[in-house]
Amino acid sequence: MSESVLITGASQVVTLRGGGPRRGNALSKIGVVEDGAVLVRDGKIVAVGPRAQVERRAEAKSAEKMDVGGRVVLPGFVDSHTHLIHAASRAEEYELKIQGASYEEIARKGGGILNSVKKLRAATREELKRRAAASLGEFAAHGTTTLEAKSGYGLDVASELKILTLQKQLKEEQPLEIVSTFLGAHVVPAEFRGKPDGADKYLELLMEQVLPEVVVGDLAEYCDVFCDRGAFTVGQSTKLLTKAKEHGLALRLHAEQLSRTGATQLAVELEAASCDHLEQVNDADIRALARSKTVATLLPGCDFHLGLNKYAPARKLIEAGAIVALATDYNPGTSPTMSMPIVLSLACNQLRMTPAEAIAAATINGAVALGRDNKIGSLEEGKQADLAVYEVEDYREIPYYFGMNLCWMTMKGGEIVWMKD
Ligand code: NIG
Ligand code: FE
């Protein structure tokens, strides 16, 4: 007989009932149940709602009880944009930036992404795995239960495949769900630079030698391109993404981060699952997103870490009706954090999103961005029991207490994957 677990004693259960995608006013309707309970069996949610109602079920009476002591229960965070696998921090560049060098200046001098590429190529699988496993522990400790992970610090056939096979291995060996994205087109690697057709030659290599291996090995679900000044043009991005789509991959784009290139319009045209960053979008881009199913993923950790004052126009995007999601963009160059709670704080303070909107953007709309909103992102009957419990009485206190980890317990598919000691 299977064991049921009754999670009870929650001051609030934030259900996000009604699923996704959430646009406009619906983003703030997060379904807060005071004195709520969740009944779990075989990794799935059997019932969720007011405690008295859930407790009336026969199954609840015989279930193992888990009293969360007046804390707040949320769906696990769905972090839909991370660069999980890299070899080292870039703390030395952080210091240069504080002293006045810009992200793009550092990149032009061979730092930035190429700095991380050098280190990743030199690192062993074991070293990379150890670092990624520690990061995954941190994600879990902050309440994340599903995350997307991109390649993009390899930039040659063997190193890109090394990252993606490692992601596949980690997916099987640890409890968090990892969704893989191929980002071979992160920037043009050093060995292809300095020739007028270097970028095109590199794209050819990606299309002819790497993409087929990615598909045969079932190594990625999505293909992403960094379409920006200093990376790839809209024309180059179109070529690669069209090819990836033919191979059956779904698409995402790094769009309008450093400059406005038209990448958002491209994402909408190609029906990409998401386009991410969006600091430089214009009104036409916002209208295009609002009419589309492409998720607008905002990454305020980047602007915070780079010390930039120009955050994405979250209010305009929400009011226009775009599907807004939030993610960490965990990476060594622009956003070295694994904490969705700090992203919520930044979203509230800098993007002027309300705590409710930020939570919906970090859960159900993140799930939409990863094509998984039928399984995760809200606490509803039949969905996976992916949830996190926070050491607060009111959900608004999660972003309110900034820079603190108040996550008390994280559950993935009904199993406790992290607990505060
Ligand atoms: O999402 N913008 C491109 N890629 C990353 C940064 C990568 C890096 O600097 O290492 C981002 O911000
Ligand atoms: Fe990124």
Side-chain angles (χ1 to χ4, degrees):
M1 220 191 82
S2 69
E3 275 279 302
S4 309
V5 177
L6 178 69
I7 300 169
T8 185
S11 62
Q12 297 175 332
V13 175
V14 178
T15 63
L16 276 299
R17 191 180 280 287
R22 298 291 180 110
R23 301 176 189 258
N25 290 335
L27 195 63
S28 53
K29 309 274 183 299
I30 59 172
V32 179
V33 180
E34 308 280 336
D35 191 12
V38 187
L39 184 61
V40 174
R41 188 201 327 126
D42 294 334
K44 292 208 170 134
I45 296 168
V46 180
V48 55
R51 182 171 54 87
Q53 197 180 305
V54 176
E55 278 179 350
R56 268 200 296 277
R57 298 173 70 107
E59 186 177 346
K61 297 196 174 74
S62 59
E64 183 193 326
K65 310 283 182 298
M66 184 190 286
D67 189 327
V68 297
R71 297 176 175 86
V72 170
V73 179
L74 241 60
F77 289 124
V78 181
D79 190 347
S80 60
H81 184 140
T82 89
H83 302 250
L84 173 69
I85 297 187
H86 50 268
S89 93
R90 301 213 301 266
E92 70 288 2
E93 292 182 4
Y94 174 56
E95 191 167 21
L96 292 175
K97 281 177 222 151
I98 292 164
Q99 290 162 341
S102 77
Y103 178 73
E104 288 177 277
E105 274 159 24
I106 293 171
R108 276 196 296 274
K109 289 182 186 147
I113 294 170
L114 292 183
N115 174 357
S116 290
V117 169
K118 241 185 258 159
K119 289 178 181 151
L120 184 134
R121 288 179 182 176
T124 64
R125 283 183 72 90
E126 290 62 40
E127 285 161 352
L128 292 173
K129 192 170 174 186
R130 221 176 303 125
R131 187 177 172 88
S135 302
L136 288 164
E138 284 298 320
F139 278 107
H142 288 81
T144 294
T145 46
T146 299
L147 65 144
E148 184 255 18
K150 303 175 194 296
S151 66
Y153 292 119
L155 309 190
D156 62 29
V157 182
S159 310
E160 281 296 299
L161 295 176
K162 173 163 89 173
I163 298 171
L164 292 171
T165 49
L166 199 51
Q167 285 180 184
K168 192 170 183 176
Q169 207 179 332
L170 285 164
K171 216 184 285 188
E172 283 152 19
E173 292 175 2
Q174 58 76 54
L176 299 192
E177 190 173 351
I178 300 176
V179 179
S180 268
T181 296
F182 170 52
L183 177 61
H186 201 179
V187 288
V188 178
E191 58 276 21
F192 282 84
R193 293 194 176 209
K195 303 162 203 144
D197 61 348
D200 296 316
K201 283 269 172 320
Y202 177 59
L203 284 177
E204 239 167 69
L205 171 100
L206 292 182
M207 291 190 283
E208 282 162 25
Q209 296 185 44
V210 193
L211 254 183
E213 294 286 331
V214 171
V215 175
V216 169
D218 191 19
L219 297 178
E221 209 173 303
Y222 291 93
C223 181
D224 190 348
V225 174
F226 182 18
C227 180
D228 214 323
R229 189 166 68 196
F232 294 92
T233 63
V234 169
Q236 291 163 342
S237 307
T238 308
K239 249 197 206 162
L240 178 67
L241 292 171
T242 307
K243 190 67 157 186
K245 206 172 177 178
E246 281 166 24
H247 277 291
L249 296 183
L251 310 179
R252 11 187 34 97
L253 264 164
H254 279 70
E256 334 291 5
Q257 178 188 14
L258 307 169
S259 62
R260 189 196 169 271
T261 63
T264 301
Q265 304 279 350
L266 175 63
V268 170
E269 252 166 61
L270 293 176
E271 298 178 330
S274 74
C275 62
D276 306 25
H277 281 291
L278 307 179
E279 284 84 346
Q280 317 293 336
V281 281
N282 65 22
D283 288 347
D285 298 333
I286 294 173
R287 279 195 299 276
L289 282 168
R291 282 194 300 266
S292 78
K293 288 185 182 163
T294 299
V295 176
T297 302
L298 309 184
L299 310 166
C302 282
D303 307 291
F304 171 74
H305 181 74
L306 295 177
L308 304 175
N309 297 321
K310 192 168 178 191
Y311 284 80
R315 287 258 54 93
K316 276 188 167 185
L317 284 158
I318 293 168
E319 276 142 33
I323 308 166
V324 170
L326 287 166
T328 59
D329 193 11
Y330 170 52
N331 79 74
T334 65
S335 191
T337 184
M338 290 145 265
S339 166
M340 282 300 272
I342 189 77
V343 170
L344 297 189
S345 299
L346 293 171
C348 293
N349 283 61
Q350 304 297 334
L351 303 180
R352 314 314 294 173
M353 291 170 73
T354 64
E357 288 173 332
I359 287 171
T363 54
I364 190 66
N365 279 359
V368 172
L370 296 183
R372 281 161 168 71
D373 51 307
N374 59 338
K375 289 198 191 109
I376 56 173
S378 62
L379 302 179
E380 295 181 88
E381 293 77 9
K383 279 198 164 180
Q384 250 170 249
D386 289 9
L387 53 89
V389 183
Y390 292 84
E391 198 91 64
V392 292
E393 283 174 27
D394 182 309
Y395 71 87
R396 289 170 291 203
E397 291 170 337
I398 299 170
Y400 166 85
Y401 288 108
F402 66 94
M404 301 176 65
N405 187 16
L406 296 168
C407 184
W408 180 73
M409 182 192 83
T410 307
M411 179 180 272
K412 176 74 187 171
E415 302 289 328
I416 295 174
V417 295
W418 188 80
M419 184 130 203
K420 200 171 240 175
D421 29 59

